[in-house]
Amino acid sequence: QVQLVESGGGLVQPGGSLRLSCAVSTSDLDSYFMAWYRQAPGKVRELVATVTRDGTANYVDSVKGRFAISRENAKNTVYLQMNSLKPEDSAVYYCYAHDLLDLDRSYWGQGTQVTVSS
């Protein structure tokens, strides 16, 4: 069973930055498609960014140019650098892993709270 542990959330002022980390309990992160989702109160969970095994990234339009997803396979860690944060970015952010060797298997972290407020 793979476990995902997010960290790096917190309270930040509008325009500020945060870097989220997702530590994955596997020795083969290269075998996983990774993503970050977020969920604000009263809203559905939203896909924010994805990164393939070769590092190709994609983003939801609302964060393009402000967020950057990356992965460090040697450290089994995925990151989400968030810049120019806005109050509407406030949400619980979840890390997601999809096993490319067993497509029926996917995993979620417990989430980390990001609050953007003055």
Side-chain angles (χ1 to χ4, degrees):
Q1 181 77 5
V2 174
Q3 293 185 327
L4 284 63
V5 179
E6 302 99 333
S7 60
L11 173 64
V12 63
Q13 292 186 342
S17 298
L18 282 175
R19 188 195 197 200
L20 305 184
S21 299
C22 173
V24 186
S25 66
T26 179
S27 59
D28 188 20
L29 187 63
D30 186 56
S31 296
Y32 292 85
F33 172 87
M34 300 299 299
W36 286 95
Y37 285 74
R38 66 185 178 187
Q39 188 167 20
K43 295 189 176 182
V44 299
R45 191 168 296 189
E46 172 190 38
L47 177 62
V48 176
T50 65
V51 61
T52 63
R53 59 195 306 179
D54 66 357
T56 301
N58 281 285
Y59 304 91
V60 66
D61 285 347
S62 60
V63 308
K64 283 182 180 177
R66 299 189 298 121
F67 289 13
I69 187 172
S70 61
R71 61 193 295 159
E72 196 167 358
N73 289 343
K75 292 187 176 182
N76 297 315
T77 303
V78 179
Y79 305 98
L80 185 68
Q81 177 67 44
M82 306 186 294
N83 300 323
S84 302
L85 282 161
K86 304 175 180 180
E88 52 264 42
D89 295 318
S90 298
V92 178
Y93 283 71
Y94 296 92
C95 184
Y96 169 84
H98 189 182
D99 191 341
L100 298 173
L101 301 181
D102 183 349
L103 298 181
D104 290 332
R105 291 187 181 270
S106 60
Y107 306 92
W108 291 93
Q110 82 288 351
T112 185
Q113 177 70 48
V114 171
T115 303
V116 184
S117 174
S118 55

